[in-house]
Amino acid sequence: MKITAVRVLRLSSTMRTEGPFWEARLVRPIDICPETRAYRACERAAEYKALGYLAQKWFFRHGPMSGHDGMRKNVELVRTLRETLGDDYDIMLDCWQSFDPIYAVELAAYASVHDLMVIPHGHSTSAGLHFSRAQPPLLTPIQEYLVKWSAINQHFLANPVTPLGGEFALPTLPGLGMDLDPAKIEAQAEVYSGGP
């Protein structure tokens, strides 16, 4: 903080000297070895684990347009990361805006066979909530809610959803809850003012 010449983190009475971080890793085309068509993710994952990261987030590159071969590559990425990082290391995989509902359900089926959790991304809270509640509780035990972005992303919806006391109510309306509110489309309003 320039006014006091003190680092902002020093202004807190609960300052920690260390803290865990995710390492977010996008699997780029260069990470794919064309000769074997296998990911070189193991090298990069091991490198970041050795640097002290306690968990890693990777992004699936393949979605419905990649067909069964793409699904195989997504499953191969998960297998490679798990084998490289071990069972006691947290990994998170993000669909990176590339899945449709059918593909997401198919991948969730793969995850359920291996006792893995699936946590729907918070950008489509209502649709994710419907997906979560349609799955076994052990597969989708929690729902991501992005405090700032969920409010913004749901602004034009007729029935936005928000958690109360850390819980979401079960959806009661038909569909995925993504119906638009024409009145909100025509009106001008500040969606987020920087609250908590």
Side-chain angles (χ1 to χ4, degrees), residues 60-68 70-71 74 95 98-100 103:
F60 288 122
R61 286 200 50 83
H62 304 284
M65 299 302 290
S66 303
H68 293 294
M71 179 64 78
N74 285 338
C95 72
S98 60
F99 290 7
D100 64 15
Y103 198 83

Side-chain angles (χ1 to χ4, degrees), residues 27 29 31-41 62 66 68-77 79-80:
V27 181
D31 294 328
I32 301 172
C33 179
E35 299 83 32
T36 61
R37 300 187 62 78
Y39 289 99
R40 290 186 6 221
H62 304 284
S66 303
H68 293 294
D69 188 50
M71 179 64 78
R72 184 188 57 76
K73 289 177 182 177
N74 285 338
V75 170
E76 182 181 342
L77 172 62
R79 182 182 305 113
T80 298

Side-chain angles (χ1 to χ4, degrees), residues 36-101:
T36 61
R37 300 187 62 78
Y39 289 99
R40 290 186 6 221
C42 57
E43 299 166 16
R44 296 181 189 278
E47 174 187 354
Y48 281 89
K49 182 178 181 181
L51 288 172
Y53 288 93
L54 301 179
Q56 294 180 35
K57 179 178 179 179
W58 287 69
F59 294 80
F60 288 122
R61 286 200 50 83
H62 304 284
M65 299 302 290
S66 303
H68 293 294
D69 188 50
M71 179 64 78
R72 184 188 57 76
K73 289 177 182 177
N74 285 338
V75 170
E76 182 181 342
L77 172 62
V78 176
R79 182 182 305 113
T80 298
L81 292 172
R82 181 51 65 216
E83 290 172 357
T84 301
L85 299 170
D87 291 336
D88 297 326
Y89 191 91
D90 287 333
I91 57 173
M92 179 178 175
L93 292 118
D94 194 304
C95 72
W96 197 40
Q97 303 176 12
S98 60
F99 290 7
D100 64 15

Side-chain angles (χ1 to χ4, degrees), residues 159-186:
N159 300 290
V161 295
T162 55
L164 294 173
E167 298 282 332
F168 284 96
L170 289 174
T172 57
L173 299 173
L176 290 176
M178 302 298 287
D179 296 330
L180 298 177
D181 181 346
K184 290 180 183 175
I185 294 170
E186 295 295 325

